[in-house]
Amino acid sequence: MEPKRIAAPLTDDLVLSLKAGDNVLISGVIYTARDAAHKQLVELMDKGEPLPIDLTGQLIYYVGPTPAKPGQAIGSAGPTTSGRMDAYTPQMFEKGMKACIGKGLRSQAVKDAMQKHKGVYLAAVGGAGALLSKKIKKCEVVAYPELGAEAIHRLEVEDFPATVINDAYGNDLYAEGAKQYVR
Amino acid sequence: MREIAASVISDQVAGMCREANIYLGEDVFNALKESLETEESPTGKEVLKQLIENVEIAKNEQIPICQDTGFAVFFVKWGQEVHLTGGSLEDAIHEGVRRGYTEGYLRKSIVADPLYKRKNTGDNTPAVIYTDLVPGDKVTIAFAPKGGGSENMSTVRMLNPSDGEAGVIDFVVNHVKAAGPNPCPPIVVGVGIGGTFDKVALLAKKALFRSVGSKNPDEAFAALEKKILSKINDLGVGPQGFGGRTFALAVHIETFPSHIASMAAAVNINCHASRHLEREL
């Protein structure tokens, strides 16, 4: 099946058009955040303080890249395990995030939040850091520079490949995908 | 007595850190290419193609295969007729890791305090180092940058001797099934059987340093490796957990004698970027 080309940030209509199992190519602006940045963002939310980035419509990529070599936009940049972000993700959706990219299983609370707030969870191919780095054209740190690889980066991506795992309707590719090949 | 300078060890280690993270070993690369032939799922095939392309991009552009350039793990076999000059072995290895990770643009993924401050050490040290004194005048250094995502999906279980072969199979297969897509399949499964609580974990780690697809020298355990691999792939989890025939590339079992009351077992998982390198000095 041909991948769907989608633009980031995302609209509700676009999110609702995506189904578990769809392959997509993302172009536009996305942001990175992993464990340490999520912790700080959610602490600000709990205190009712403003966030360093507006999450409305945004796509958050769970990645901690390697340092860029001279002449590179970014170093290797594949997804990290998403489950570690589960504790923070429902609040991220509440604040307007529309999608996240990572790899691996999500909790029921995260899946419920996606149905409630019209969100999707995408997986990029874990361990394909070199290939994915070629799809990132520009990278700049926009918050928490002291976190190094874990800082929040603004990325400009072109045809960044990902697969829809959990859609806004409660479907789950990880649960469905294996059924066809189990023996 | 043969002498080796600490600086020689540091130079070797620095080079190994860069090399292992940029070039995937032929053993793993061949296993990936072979799995592309047998994979039935179109999505699974697409993932395998991306992984093969990823290895080629890393090589051509001299960038890491994966952004998780790992915890630096070393197994050193030190010939007892070799004298190390100009420093300690541990310091020499750490100096190599420091240089390899900094000069090689590799990610520094180690925090000093595991619980409270979690402040990055900034140079990917310390490494995890195991040293065996062996007869002779050779030194062998085996290195693996161990990714955190797959390491997190590892476990130890103190089975009962009565659990038998079926107990070991159930333990490994159920554990790997629960890990599902998290450790970046297709995975390599390191299994330890026997020894004590600590020893069995080490056996599972050592199993990941074996060339992918190599067999346990004992016929019965080689057969068990094959049986477990087949059961794991029959789960249908497939590449990246998207569904398919290739959940694991290999199962490697390492064993040690056991206490009469015990049958310790451990699973240590590696992702498809199963990086490992060995050099003899």
Side-chain angles (χ1 to χ4, degrees):
Chain A
M1 195 178 62
E2 274 298 294
K4 292 184 182 173
R5 291 199 137 76
I6 65 171
L10 310 177
T11 62
D12 276 4
D13 284 348
L14 180 67
V15 168
L16 292 173
S17 75
L18 297 174
K19 302 278 159 57
D22 285 353
N23 291 315
V24 297
L25 293 171
I26 304 155
S27 296
V29 172
I30 66 175
Y31 289 89
T32 74
R34 44 174 291 159
D35 310 49
H38 271 81
K39 185 164 183 273
Q40 301 207 24
L41 288 175
V42 166
E43 276 169 9
L44 288 176
M45 290 178 202
D46 289 344
K47 284 190 249 169
E49 289 177 14
L51 304 180
I53 55 167
D54 180 3
L55 289 175
T56 311
Q58 296 304 341
L59 201 164
I60 300 290
Y61 182 21
Y62 303 148
V63 60
T66 59
K69 291 204 302 187
Q72 274 189 309
I74 194 170
S76 267
T80 194
T81 310
S82 309
R84 294 196 315 272
M85 266 52 78
D86 281 356
Y88 312 114
T89 306
Q91 275 174 278
M92 297 286 286
F93 277 118
E94 247 178 76
K95 283 283 172 194
M97 178 177 80
K98 279 288 131 195
C100 37
I101 313 178
K103 51 125 178 156
L105 304 164
R106 303 313 301 258
S107 68
Q108 193 54 47
V110 171
K111 294 176 201 171
D112 291 346
M114 284 187 274
Q115 290 200 63
K116 187 173 166 195
H117 300 289
K118 301 191 181 74
V120 281
Y121 168 52
L122 309 152
V125 170
L131 179 140
L132 293 168
S133 77
K134 309 302 287 177
K135 313 294 180 186
I136 299 167
K137 304 301 172 185
K138 211 173 151 191
C139 165
E140 58 177 330
V141 173
V142 292
Y144 311 132
E146 68 281 6
L147 296 180
E150 292 208 66
I152 298 184
H153 299 72
R154 177 187 183 274
L155 307 180
E156 290 182 24
V157 298
E158 246 176 63
D159 290 340
F160 185 98
T163 301
V164 181
I165 303 296
N166 298 104
D167 59 28
Y169 306 97
N171 300 306
D172 184 348
L173 177 66
Y174 288 143
E176 295 304 314
K179 282 185 187 162
Q180 219 179 321
Y181 298 95
V182 70
R183 277 182 191 165
Chain B
M1 188 177 233
R2 186 180 172 206
E3 291 194 341
I4 294 183
S7 61
V8 170
I9 302 289
S10 300
D11 289 348
Q12 284 291 338
V13 165
M16 289 173 83
C17 290
R18 289 192 296 265
E19 190 181 326
N21 275 298
I22 292 171
Y23 305 98
L24 189 65
E26 283 293 314
D27 58 333
V28 191
F29 196 41
N30 288 337
L32 280 175
K33 286 190 279 193
E34 280 162 25
S35 69
L36 185 58
E37 305 295 314
T38 51
E39 180 55 57
E40 292 163 17
S41 147
T43 315
K45 270 184 187 292
E46 192 47 47
V47 168
L48 293 169
K49 279 184 200 161
Q50 281 193 33
L51 294 180
I52 290 165
E53 195 189 339
N54 183 62
V55 171
E56 283 162 353
I57 291 173
K59 184 169 75 178
N60 294 337
E61 308 245 340
Q62 299 275 296
I63 55 177
I65 301 160
C66 174
Q67 75 290 338
D68 188 349
T69 51
F71 217 134
V73 181
F74 293 89
F75 284 95
V76 180
K77 285 184 195 156
W78 193 274
Q80 54 198 19
E81 288 162 38
V82 184
H83 178 216
L84 179 70
T85 62
S88 79
L89 179 62
E90 201 169 290
D91 288 348
I93 290 175
H94 285 149
E95 176 57 21
V97 169
R98 194 170 290 127
R99 272 173 31 209
Y101 275 74
T102 308
E103 293 162 11
Y105 295 95
L106 306 179
R107 197 178 78 185
K108 291 77 180 174
S109 310
I110 307 304
V111 293
D113 169 345
L115 179 56
Y116 297 111
K117 291 183 184 155
R118 290 190 69 87
K119 187 174 162 28
N120 200 299
T121 61
D123 58 10
N124 219 52
T125 67
V128 174
I129 306 167
Y130 299 100
T131 313
D132 283 331
L133 262 189
V134 296
D137 66 351
K138 298 271 191 296
V139 170
T140 310
I141 303 174
F143 165 63
K146 186 64 180 69
S150 55
E151 192 70 4
N152 286 347
M153 297 294 112
S154 303
T155 192
V156 172
R157 177 90 52 87
M158 303 308 286
L159 296 171
N160 284 320
S162 63
D163 290 327
E165 187 199 64
V168 172
I169 293 173
D170 279 355
F171 162 62
V172 178
V173 174
N174 289 336
H175 180 75
V176 169
K177 183 181 181 186
N182 288 20
C184 288
I187 55 176
V188 177
V189 184
V191 178
I193 309 172
T196 50
F197 173 77
D198 51 319
K199 180 74 180 181
V200 77
L202 191 57
L203 291 173
K205 175 72 79 226
K206 269 192 175 164
L208 296 180
F209 277 67
R210 271 171 48 190
S211 181
V212 164
S214 62
K215 288 181 191 159
N216 186 298
D218 182 299
E219 227 172 85
F221 287 108
L224 184 58
E225 287 173 341
K226 215 173 150 187
K227 198 184 278 183
I228 295 177
L229 177 63
S230 154
K231 282 187 186 286
I232 288 173
N233 283 330
D234 281 350
L235 295 170
V237 173
Q240 295 291 311
F242 297 165
R245 303 295 314 156
T246 323
F247 184 14
L249 297 172
V251 173
H252 294 165
I253 298 174
E254 291 292 305
T255 65
F256 196 77
S258 178
H259 189 281
I260 49 173
S262 312
M263 187 168 69
V267 175
N268 193 197
I269 300 181
N270 218 346
C271 57
H272 56 78
S274 186
R275 298 153 289 185
H276 56 99
L277 200 60
E278 188 172 303
R279 285 219 184 125
E280 190 183 272
L281 306 182

